[in-house]
Amino acid sequence: MSMKKTLNKDSLIIIICTLALVIFGCIMVYSASKYSALVNYSDEFFYLKKQIIGVAIGLIGLIVCTFINNRIYKKFYWIFFIVGIVFLVLVFVPGLSRTSYGATRWIGIGSFTIQPSEIAKFCLVFFLAGYLSDGDKLGEVKHVLLTLSLGGIYCLLIMLEPNMSITMCVAFTLIFMLFIGGMRLKVFGLMIVPAIALVVVLIMIEPYRLSRIIAFIDPWQNPLEEGYQLIQSLYAIGSGGLWGVGLFNSRQAELFLPFSESDFIFSIIAEELGFVGCLIVVLVFITLIISIFRVGMRANNKFSAFLCFGIGAIISIQVILNIAVVSGSIPPTGLPLPFISAGSTSLFVFMSAIGVVLNIAKQDKKLL
Amino acid sequence: MKKFKTFYNLFSLQRRFVAVIIIIIVLFFALLSRIFYLQILNGKNLQVLAAEQWLRDLPLSSKRGEIFDSSGVSLATTVTTYDVYVRARNVTEPVALANAINELLNVDYDTAYTKVINTAFSEILVKMQVEEEKALKLTEYDGIYLSQNVKRVYPYSSSLTQVLGYCTIDNIGQAGLESYYDKYLKGIDGKSLTQTNARGEEIENSLGYYIPSVAGANIYTTLDIQMQNILEQELMNAYVEHKAMGVSGIILDAQSGGIKAMSCIPNFDLNNVPRDDISALQQMTKNSTVVDVYEPGSTFKLITLAAALNEGLTNIEETFFCPGHITVDGETIKCWKTTGHGRLTLLDAFKNSCNCVFVNLALRLGVDKMYEYLDYFGIGEKTGVDIASESSGIVMNKESVRTVDLARIGFGHAVAVTQLQMASTYAKITTGYDTTPHLLDYMEIDGEKIYENAITKTKINLKDETIATINMMLANNVNSEGNFTFIAGYDVGGKTGTAQKYDENGQIASGKYISSFIGTYPATNPQYVIIICVNEPSNGVYYGGVVAKPIGQNVLNKIFTLKAFEPNDYTQLENQPNIIMPYLVGKSLAEACAELKKLGLNVMFDGEGEYVIAQLPEENTLLYLGEIVYLITN
């Protein structure tokens, strides 16, 4: 079987875009972290090495998933739901949980740490695809409420870590799935009111969110505390200009911008490669997302289609939220840029998800 | 293909799907516009702000110019010191460093240790103005950084206090020449910019920017430190002897206007400026020879004399009669000698400082002519000297001058001048040339003259014979019988003055005087004019002739010796005073006067009584023929 036969045009684009993004990610992770890695670990390649391992694991996930028939997942959609919940609960198990910056977001065994919420959001997508494709569930309000409740459990658990940004990501994915899944618009409209009320309540129970929002409106009001990260991000982006200061030449990565290799890597891209670099990165993401959606549209069954839409939705939402945060367009929350930011869990799950999409594309081809 | 279509239609939600894709693309492009705004439209502003945190700049102070006297002796110079900073994050041995700071910089250990471990700041000042040797020793420890600085040093400490002025700790001129020529002396500060990370640590192999400082100009003054030291010493002695409120003096180069020496006592050490008492400091910093005005009294008679002689309204042989007072406009003006000088020539009237004669001369001149000459001589105008806050003096408005006012101006009352103005006026009248008094000769940087003070010298409207007569009369004032007796062998002229002081209400302050002496040398065509003013002598005597004149005499005598000036008449070098002052206390005034007249001495007395209660000089002092003796009656 030659490559030509197994790969249609969309698959090729998806593979090229994914590889381009992860390789570019390695270069940028090195560029953004070389100074801090040298200062903190006396090894400028510290983060790059970790990232390359992440890419390798991710590639394994990608290849394995490409060859697993995606329709098998449909049989286990409740299992995905439970696995996701278990991962999220593990975060709160003493001995496994790892806390940093006031949030318990990681579980760890030895020096190996994973971020369960990264895995859980995909579990939810698998579950929703299975659940929603099982008849026209969304025609009935009780199923809508049930779907919302089940998704709500995920949101609640992630919120408890706390991890506001993944909560948002999961919530938007849930809404997206319901919308695409054919939920009646009337019901959709009714959801908006309690959603806004919920946001207000959330802000009230965790006052630090309000200070984040104030910092977002005017970061210079409190430049050393809440506003610091955003100001540093804006300095990085602003210093880039049209063509950037050149690869590996970031000044902001010299300890000025915290998390420059992870959540704020886009700022370093903007600084080093300028507006042109940002434009290219965004266009690659758009191409990838549209190709994933096209695969979904061509899928020969509702479950596979929903799976593609869900995966495409997670990527879109996470990229948009990430860029919105680093450019000061929405209040800052920590969220990695898919395929590019440093972080093995994120790389593994996103690349595996791409494998699932490729499998769907392959299956579609077979049927033709 | 059909099957695919079927599913697509079955799905029947493609419009929602298109809407979602459009929303996603719109959101992406909205974010790109935001990035475009940040990078392209607002990029410059953000870059400027970012650069502020990327670069740390250390100022490099420029070397302040030196101030020299006319022979190249340094009067104000700079030495290099270091400000010591600690960057706690780089400190490796905090205890050892704190100990070293404690020992070398004399900072107590606890203070030092708190600074050494305080990582909240990237850099903390430990001590300013540390000597090079100690500062360099400290750099053996990690975390110590130095900032080079220059400290102003005045080798002649309290000499020229008001003339040189001083600088702030940041080397900004605050008074005197330091302030007047600050913008030339200070030079241009440079800076060194280094690229740092967020912790303020320098980034290795990064490009730094180094803008070197430009040294300030050196200033060469007209001052002569040798003359200055003599003047300063004599004024200080007089300050103590006469328990005066203040003593000041100027030696002016009459030909060029250059100030050779200028001093005001009390003064202070410029290397240790007493900044604790600001009002006292301001008082002592003020150059009273230029800033303060006083009623000159008899020294001003030279102006009336010059005007009257030049206008041909009198001559040296004209004889006057002084009854002891004169009535003008119904107001009685007393001569200082209330019993009257009797019949006397103009020459004697100037020597004896007869008020009545000068009232006469002023009245002959009239207001218009008097004011014309005041104007020529620069009375009521600033001299234009390069010293801040110069006063112009006070001259009555010409329109409101009554005859009695004119009469008073004639002998130096109802007019106020500065000491420099008087010295400058004497220079004009005795040389016939108008020059601007000044301290600056030239400025140079690295041996290259960048500015030279052009000396303007204009002939004033005085006839040569007037000038010659005046110079002869000034010499006659201080010498006796045509011999150079004031300073043996040297041709010196002079005039004394005793002026009343006024209280804040403009009333004459009883017992408060300013005694002054103005000397010229050589009297025939003066090279130097010297003025000495003693403000409120309070040790019994106050006449200019007794208080100020001997100071001038001492100063000139010492300068002639030190500078080895050629005597004007060698034959008179050995001419020593040979009249022995008798003891006159307790004798009647008439008796005393007769005795002095027999010895060939002149007499001045104070008081209305009949008996002598004090005399000056003391008994057995050797005096020249014709010298004036002072007697105080009961």
Side-chain angles (χ1 to χ4, degrees), chain B residues 3-16:
Chain B
K3 191 172 172 127
F4 176 77
K5 270 234 162 181
T6 315
F7 171 71
Y8 193 67
N9 287 341
L10 179 130
F11 186 57
S12 77
L13 289 166
Q14 74 267 43
R15 279 163 79 192
R16 283 194 184 187

Side-chain angles (χ1 to χ4, degrees), chain B residues 189-217:
Chain B
D189 281 349
K191 56 164 91 169
S192 135
L193 294 171
T194 42
Q195 304 217 14
T196 62
N197 66 19
R199 297 181 191 163
E201 298 154 356
E202 199 173 324
I203 289 171
E204 281 172 44
N205 307 323
S206 65
L207 274 180
Y209 303 89
Y210 180 78
I211 305 161
S213 58
V214 178

Side-chain angles (χ1 to χ4, degrees), chain A residues 208-270:
Chain A
Y208 82 92
R209 290 195 188 104
L210 192 65
S211 67
R212 290 254 177 107
I213 291 169
I214 290 167
F216 154 69
I217 294 164
D218 181 12
W220 274 273
Q221 198 184 328
N222 210 344
L224 291 178
E225 285 158 40
E226 282 85 4
Y228 178 80
Q229 178 102 32
L230 183 52
I231 287 174
Q232 295 305 329
S233 178
L234 295 180
Y235 283 171
I237 296 171
S239 305
L242 186 61
W243 296 102
V245 297
L247 194 60
F248 307 133
N249 290 340
S250 170
R251 286 288 278 116
Q252 284 297 90
E254 280 155 355
L255 306 187
F256 289 104
L257 177 62
F259 303 111
S260 59
E261 77 287 345
S262 56
D263 298 348
F264 281 81
I265 199 158
F266 192 79
S267 314
I268 303 297
I269 297 173

Side-chain angles (χ1 to χ4, degrees), chain B residues 417-490:
Chain B
V417 295
T418 68
Q419 295 165 42
L420 183 65
Q421 211 172 35
M422 274 315 274
S424 175
T425 299
Y426 265 63
K428 279 175 204 169
I429 296 174
T430 57
T431 63
Y433 287 93
D434 180 1
T435 55
T436 305
H438 59 272
L439 285 163
L440 177 72
D441 189 2
Y442 62 91
M443 291 192 253
E444 58 103 44
I445 296 176
D446 291 336
E448 194 186 327
K449 273 190 193 180
I450 56 161
Y451 177 81
E452 185 149 22
N453 204 355
I455 293 164
T456 52
K457 201 170 177 183
T458 44
K459 185 99 180 75
I460 61 162
N461 190 16
L462 275 188
K463 293 172 193 151
D464 288 347
E465 55 264 40
T466 307
I467 296 168
T469 306
I470 279 168
N471 286 339
M472 186 277 280
M473 289 174 80
L474 281 169
N476 178 66
N477 277 357
V478 292
N479 296 300
S480 55
E481 311 282 308
N483 294 321
F484 299 146
T485 54
F486 182 58
I487 295 168
Y490 289 91

Side-chain angles (χ1 to χ4, degrees), chain B residues 280-349:
Chain B
L281 177 61
Q282 280 173 344
Q283 193 59 35
M284 281 194 286
T285 302
K286 184 179 67 179
N287 190 333
S288 61
T289 64
V290 169
V291 177
D292 288 344
V293 297
Y294 70 108
E295 193 179 53
S298 300
T299 52
F300 200 80
K301 285 172 179 154
L302 183 81
I303 286 137
T304 315
L305 177 69
L309 282 171
N310 205 45
E311 288 297 311
L313 299 172
T314 183
N315 62 67
I316 195 165
E317 267 122 31
E318 187 183 349
T319 310
F320 296 83
F321 183 77
C322 167
H325 59 86
I326 186 166
T327 307
V328 181
D329 275 357
E331 281 187 43
T332 303
I333 296 170
K334 282 192 211 166
C335 189
W336 67 266
K337 189 175 183 181
T338 44
T339 51
H341 288 96
R343 192 163 286 281
L344 78 176
T345 61
L346 183 66
L347 184 69
D348 289 336

Side-chain angles (χ1 to χ4, degrees), chain B residues 356-427:
Chain B
C356 295
V357 171
F358 283 84
V359 168
N360 253 310
L361 294 180
L363 295 180
R364 285 185 199 173
L365 278 163
V367 174
D368 287 343
K369 275 290 167 205
M370 178 59 101
Y371 268 70
E372 198 183 308
Y373 279 92
L374 291 183
D375 205 35
Y376 281 151
F377 301 149
I379 302 299
E381 276 167 40
K382 290 182 181 181
T383 64
V385 71
D386 42 358
I387 296 170
S389 315
E390 188 186 5
S391 305
S392 49
I394 305 163
V395 175
M396 285 176 79
N397 194 333
K398 192 177 161 188
E399 280 68 42
S400 50
V401 173
R402 300 168 299 156
T403 313
V404 67
D405 298 322
L406 175 66
R408 288 204 168 102
I409 293 170
F411 61 97
H413 285 227
V415 64
V417 295
T418 68
Q419 295 165 42
L420 183 65
Q421 211 172 35
M422 274 315 274
S424 175
T425 299
Y426 265 63

Side-chain angles (χ1 to χ4, degrees), chain B residues 511-531:
Chain B
K512 293 183 173 178
Y513 298 90
I514 291 180
S515 303
S516 61
F517 168 75
I518 305 180
T520 58
Y521 167 80
T524 36
N525 182 25
Q527 179 68 40
Y528 299 108
V529 168
I530 178 173
I531 180 166

